[in-house]
Amino acid sequence: MQSPQILVVGAGPAGLALALSLLKNGVAVRIIERDARNHVGERGAGVIPRTLEIEHFLGVADDVRKAGIGMPIRHTIDPNDPYRIIRSKPMVEDVEETPAFPITHGVMLGQWRHQAIFRKNIEALGGAVELGTVLVGIEQNESGATAEIVRTIDGEEVKEKSKYAYIVGADGARSSVRKILGLNFMGETREENRIYIVDAHVEGTIIERLEGEKRADMYIFGDPKKKMANLRARGDKEAIQTLLNDITQRTDIKITDITWQNEWRANIRMAERFHVGRVFIVGDAAHAHSPTGGQGLNSSIQDSFNLAWKLALVVKGHALPALLDSYEVERVPVIAEMLKITTDLLNRVSRIDTKQALARAEASAASAPDDDAFTRGRKLFQLDLNYRWSTIVRDERYAEDAAKSAGDVYGIEGHDVRAGDRAPDAPGLTILTAKDSSAPAAPVTRLFDVFSPSTHTALVFSPRSAGEAQPLLDALQGLQPGLFRKALILSAGASHEGVPFADVDLVFEDKEGHAFGGYGLMLPATRLLSS
């Protein structure tokens, strides 16, 4: 078996997504986790549409959607009548699916279940998580990075040193990797913003549901302005039940079992750098923020997906190590913007007064501005997030200075598709030929079933005839088979005469026009795009 080339430190969502991405690329990894057992607790439960797209490419989205439930409705309970709901409102904007954006509805899935799905797929590829294994030191030079590791075996500590091409820290906000690298975790901790989180099974009916309805609703009892008791000293079931009764002013909601509990403080921080030499940090190890907006788990998985394919190219000798610099170049502006968005939401949520909201609701049906602090709009789906400014992105259609400025990194709905953007989907593609054994078997497919985390796809659009694409296809002949896939897309009604079957891996006819329309290629010109 191939020796691990990359050490992944941490088996949360970021570490598992990174490991699975690397394994999909044929890169052997070792995954270590400090804790002696797999994580429990709901934690980051909101899975947004862009994350589901990434998980589609990784082959786990179907399992995630099957295990998940619908996005929540927020119910505000009358602080003067704990059995009365004064307002019910969806927490997530309902966005219609389109051919270019086939996934616009996220799911709620407890993080422990989410991680179990990742682990199952990692194990199917020969990987595994080593629990009770702690990184205590790193030494690196031009030839690799050596990790000093302590494992607990049958109660005994065993020390070892192992060398890897690269090490990635995905070990959370208290990251050992970040501390070993000496990176400053810049930002603030808000002691006044404290929440005690309890995952528990409860008995009792808060709201009647339709039969078979599956949804993770949120119920807000009491007044957020009221100080809550600190449970750190005595967080047993009886103490939590007493506090729950006090807040809700109800005794019919019974805690039967507590699975996880923790005190949360608002940490708003970002590491000064995301890598030093051969060592990288992803997810909470690189950035910590408020859970408002539901961006944490999702941003962490996107960190890992961004870094994994670049690491794979470098360790397999297909790219120079300089490619890895683009991870920090691309992700830092995105994370900085994410911190601004989630902090603004935290500030707005912290100002909400339930009694004032009750008075407004009774006086008028109109929503107050702060009422939207709980609502998650399309922007937070991360479907328009882009890397147009990246050092590895080039779009010859636009001025260099405009393309290289990191403007609205979360993007604008309906913008023109440019290099560095998310590649749109396009259904209804009729397959005319397919040399690639991994190509879709159905006669009609979509681009999201063509794209792969282990293979780059060069899309050549030819609106009039197959023959006019030949000059572009000639320019692609130097691309390495298996690493790149060449796909020719003909418009509906275009001449099939002269199709260069020997020079392409896939030929499609865009009978429904979604590919040409989705990529903004309605003009009669032959274009090349790569994803």
Side-chain angles (χ1 to χ4, degrees):
M1 186 175 178
Q2 185 184 11
S3 297
Q5 297 168 283
I6 302 203
L7 175 66
V8 179
V9 184
L16 295 174
L18 180 79
L20 181 58
S21 298
L22 289 167
L23 289 167
K24 290 275 186 180
N25 277 275
V27 176
V29 299
R30 182 182 181 186
I31 314 161
I32 63 173
E33 166 58 45
R34 169 187 294 273
D35 292 343
R37 63 171 185 157
N38 291 317
H39 299 159
V40 296
E42 298 296 296
R43 305 191 191 192
V47 186
I48 62 173
R50 180 53 184 162
T51 299
L52 287 174
E53 289 185 346
I54 289 172
E55 293 183 337
H56 171 77
F57 302 135
L58 293 176
V60 301
D62 287 346
D63 286 344
V64 169
R65 295 171 92 167
K66 186 182 297 183
I69 56 179
M71 299 304 278
I73 302 290
R74 175 175 58 90
H75 304 284
T76 304
I77 310 298
D78 186 345
N80 300 314
D81 180 357
Y83 294 90
R84 178 185 173 224
I85 295 174
I86 60 174
R87 164 159 280 176
S88 295
K89 185 176 181 180
M91 290 190 65
V92 179
E93 180 183 357
D94 186 13
V95 176
E96 185 178 353
E97 296 173 352
T98 68
F101 295 94
I103 303 174
T104 57
H105 297 88
V107 299
M108 295 293 290
L109 179 64
Q111 191 168 310
W112 67 277
R113 291 185 177 93
H114 203 166
Q115 292 174 192
I117 292 171
F118 270 108
R119 288 196 302 271
K120 181 184 74 173
N121 283 266
I122 286 170
E123 290 164 4
L125 294 174
V129 175
E130 298 178 37
L131 298 172
T133 306
V134 183
L135 178 81
V136 296
I138 298 173
E139 296 176 357
Q140 58 174 315
N141 54 37
E142 292 182 358
S143 65
T146 300
E148 186 177 352
I149 295 169
V150 175
R151 293 185 293 157
T152 302
I153 302 175
D154 297 328
E156 300 264 337
E157 287 192 350
V158 178
K159 295 182 179 180
E160 66 165 278
K161 284 190 175 183
S162 304
K163 190 170 184 179
Y164 305 90
Y166 294 94
I167 296 174
V168 182
D171 50 341
R174 298 173 180 172
S175 170
S176 297
V177 175
R178 187 187 66 243
K179 292 173 182 177
I180 290 170
L181 293 176
L183 293 173
N184 291 324
F185 207 27
M186 303 176 296
E188 62 173 321
T189 298
R190 296 186 179 180
E191 297 293 343
E192 71 275 15
N193 290 129
R194 289 173 177 259
I195 301 172
Y196 200 83
I197 303 170
V198 179
D199 286 351
H201 296 106
V202 298
E203 291 181 348
T205 301
I206 302 176
I207 184 173
E208 294 293 338
R209 289 263 183 89
L210 296 175
E211 186 176 351
E213 186 178 23
K214 292 177 64 179
R215 197 177 62 231
D217 285 1
M218 174 185 285
Y219 304 92
I220 301 178
F221 285 92
D223 187 347
K225 296 289 184 181
K226 177 182 176 182
K227 287 188 177 181
M228 303 300 180
N230 189 338
L231 293 172
R232 175 183 288 179
R234 181 171 172 252
D236 57 28
K237 188 170 77 171
E238 289 72 24
I240 294 172
Q241 181 71 63
T242 299
L243 183 58
L244 179 65
N245 294 346
D246 179 54
I247 293 171
T248 65
Q249 294 299 301
R250 290 174 59 166
T251 59
D252 58 329
I253 304 172
K254 300 290 187 182
I255 295 174
T256 61
D257 180 48
I258 294 173
T259 57
W260 180 79
Q261 56 181 301
N262 195 24
E263 185 180 42
W264 174 87
R265 295 178 301 167
N267 281 300
I268 304 165
R269 298 180 179 276
M270 183 169 73
E272 60 180 314
R273 297 206 49 196
F274 286 8
H275 88 104
V276 176
R278 291 177 171 270
V279 185
F280 295 79
I281 52 175
V282 296
D284 290 352
H287 42 84
H289 38 82
S290 163
T292 48
Q295 301 293 280
L297 170 142
N298 298 285
S299 294
S300 297
I301 288 176
Q302 292 205 47
D303 285 350
S304 295
F305 194 67
N306 181 292
L307 178 60
W309 68 267
K310 298 169 184 177
L311 282 171
L313 287 179
V314 172
V315 299
K316 290 159 80 172
H318 297 313
L320 296 174
L323 172 66
L324 300 174
D325 294 337
S326 66
Y327 163 65
E328 186 174 284
V329 168
E330 292 173 358
R331 292 304 293 170
V332 165
V334 171
I335 296 303
E337 180 65 18
M338 183 267 290
L339 286 174
K340 291 179 184 178
I341 292 171
T342 55
T343 302
D344 176 64
L345 287 171
L346 173 65
N347 293 338
R348 294 164 65 194
V349 167
S350 299
R351 292 196 299 268
I352 291 177
D353 187 308
T354 305
K355 291 183 178 180
Q356 291 179 10
L358 171 61
R360 290 195 302 266
E362 291 179 335
S364 170
S367 298
D370 264 341
D371 198 39
D372 286 334
F374 281 107
T375 303
R376 309 296 174 245
R378 186 188 190 281
K379 184 173 185 177
L380 296 182
F381 296 179
Q382 298 193 23
L383 291 171
D384 300 304
L385 188 148
N386 68 88
Y387 304 124
R388 294 182 179 183
W389 66 90
S390 173
T391 52
I392 62 171
V393 168
R394 184 177 181 185
D395 195 324
E396 295 177 341
R397 300 170 299 170
Y398 301 96
E400 190 74 10
D401 55 346
K404 293 305 178 186
S405 60
D408 191 344
V409 300
Y410 264 62
I412 300 171
E413 181 183 357
H415 60 70
D416 293 335
V417 177
R418 300 188 184 185
D421 291 354
R422 159 198 172 277
D425 193 10
L429 296 175
T430 300
I431 301 176
L432 301 181
T433 186
K435 291 194 302 186
D436 192 336
S437 60
S438 64
V444 178
T445 189
R446 60 174 181 157
L447 286 179
F448 271 21
D449 290 338
V450 174
F451 296 153
S452 164
S454 61
T455 308
H456 293 267
T457 304
L459 304 178
V460 178
F461 289 82
S462 188
R464 289 183 294 257
S465 68
E468 66 184 358
Q470 193 62 59
L472 280 176
L473 294 173
D474 289 342
L476 298 175
Q477 290 309 304
L479 298 180
Q480 183 172 336
L483 181 60
F484 284 89
R485 204 161 36 178
K486 300 181 287 291
L488 174 62
I489 301 179
L490 305 175
S491 64
S495 171
H496 296 184
E497 186 176 349
V499 172
F501 293 109
D503 298 332
V504 293
D505 301 292
L506 297 160
V507 180
F508 302 114
E509 183 177 1
D510 185 22
K511 287 190 174 182
E512 298 177 11
H514 297 311
F516 276 81
Y519 283 79
L521 301 175
M522 302 309 293
L523 295 176
T526 302
R527 299 289 177 87
L528 166 65
L529 299 172
S530 181
S531 68

PDB file of all heavy atoms in Angstrom, residues 140-144 163 278:
ATOM      1  N   GLN A 140      10.220  21.074   9.405  1.00  0.00           N
ATOM      2  CA  GLN A 140      10.093  21.006   7.955  1.00  0.00           C
ATOM      3  C   GLN A 140      11.325  21.588   7.270  1.00  0.00           C
ATOM      4  O   GLN A 140      12.031  22.426   7.818  1.00  0.00           O
ATOM      5  CB  GLN A 140       8.834  21.738   7.483  1.00  0.00           C
ATOM      6  CG  GLN A 140       8.739  23.205   7.868  1.00  0.00           C
ATOM      7  CD  GLN A 140       7.520  23.869   7.227  1.00  0.00           C
ATOM      8  OE1 GLN A 140       7.239  23.673   6.039  1.00  0.00           O
ATOM      9  NE2 GLN A 140       6.782  24.663   8.007  1.00  0.00           N
ATOM     10  N   ASN A 141      11.561  21.076   6.070  1.00  0.00           N
ATOM     11  CA  ASN A 141      12.630  21.588   5.226  1.00  0.00           C
ATOM     12  C   ASN A 141      12.182  21.452   3.776  1.00  0.00           C
ATOM     13  O   ASN A 141      11.019  21.180   3.488  1.00  0.00           O
ATOM     14  CB  ASN A 141      13.952  20.848   5.488  1.00  0.00           C
ATOM     15  CG  ASN A 141      13.794  19.334   5.356  1.00  0.00           C
ATOM     16  OD1 ASN A 141      13.065  18.834   4.496  1.00  0.00           O
ATOM     17  ND2 ASN A 141      14.479  18.587   6.224  1.00  0.00           N
ATOM     18  N   GLU A 142      13.110  21.615   2.829  1.00  0.00           N
ATOM     19  CA  GLU A 142      12.754  21.592   1.417  1.00  0.00           C
ATOM     20  C   GLU A 142      12.257  20.232   0.948  1.00  0.00           C
ATOM     21  O   GLU A 142      11.551  20.127  -0.061  1.00  0.00           O
ATOM     22  CB  GLU A 142      13.960  22.017   0.573  1.00  0.00           C
ATOM     23  CG  GLU A 142      14.339  23.482   0.765  1.00  0.00           C
ATOM     24  CD  GLU A 142      15.509  23.877  -0.111  1.00  0.00           C
ATOM     25  OE1 GLU A 142      16.036  22.996  -0.828  1.00  0.00           O
ATOM     26  OE2 GLU A 142      15.888  25.066  -0.089  1.00  0.00           O
ATOM     27  N   SER A 143      12.592  19.172   1.672  1.00  0.00           N
ATOM     28  CA  SER A 143      12.218  17.828   1.217  1.00  0.00           C
ATOM     29  C   SER A 143      10.944  17.292   1.846  1.00  0.00           C
ATOM     30  O   SER A 143      10.424  16.264   1.419  1.00  0.00           O
ATOM     31  CB  SER A 143      13.365  16.848   1.497  1.00  0.00           C
ATOM     32  OG  SER A 143      13.571  16.723   2.893  1.00  0.00           O
ATOM     33  N   GLY A 144      10.427  17.983   2.878  1.00  0.00           N
ATOM     34  CA  GLY A 144       9.209  17.482   3.494  1.00  0.00           C
ATOM     35  C   GLY A 144       8.991  18.045   4.886  1.00  0.00           C
ATOM     36  O   GLY A 144       9.727  18.933   5.345  1.00  0.00           O
ATOM     37  N   LYS A 163       7.479  11.338   8.402  1.00  0.00           N
ATOM     38  CA  LYS A 163       7.718  12.401   7.424  1.00  0.00           C
ATOM     39  C   LYS A 163       6.673  12.348   6.319  1.00  0.00           C
ATOM     40  O   LYS A 163       6.293  11.275   5.847  1.00  0.00           O
ATOM     41  CB  LYS A 163       9.121  12.265   6.824  1.00  0.00           C
ATOM     42  CG  LYS A 163       9.535  13.462   5.972  1.00  0.00           C
ATOM     43  CD  LYS A 163      11.013  13.389   5.596  1.00  0.00           C
ATOM     44  CE  LYS A 163      11.445  14.633   4.834  1.00  0.00           C
ATOM     45  NZ  LYS A 163      12.891  14.590   4.488  1.00  0.00           N
ATOM     46  N   ARG A 278       5.506  23.985   4.062  1.00  0.00           N
ATOM     47  CA  ARG A 278       4.771  22.767   3.704  1.00  0.00           C
ATOM     48  C   ARG A 278       3.612  22.455   4.642  1.00  0.00           C
ATOM     49  O   ARG A 278       3.074  21.352   4.611  1.00  0.00           O
ATOM     50  CB  ARG A 278       5.744  21.571   3.677  1.00  0.00           C
ATOM     51  CG  ARG A 278       6.745  21.632   2.521  1.00  0.00           C
ATOM     52  CD  ARG A 278       7.716  20.482   2.568  1.00  0.00           C
ATOM     53  NE  ARG A 278       8.526  20.441   1.353  1.00  0.00           N
ATOM     54  CZ  ARG A 278       8.214  19.770   0.253  1.00  0.00           C
ATOM     55  NH1 ARG A 278       7.108  19.059   0.228  1.00  0.00           N
ATOM     56  NH2 ARG A 278       9.002  19.787  -0.795  1.00  0.00           N
TER      57      ARG A 278
END
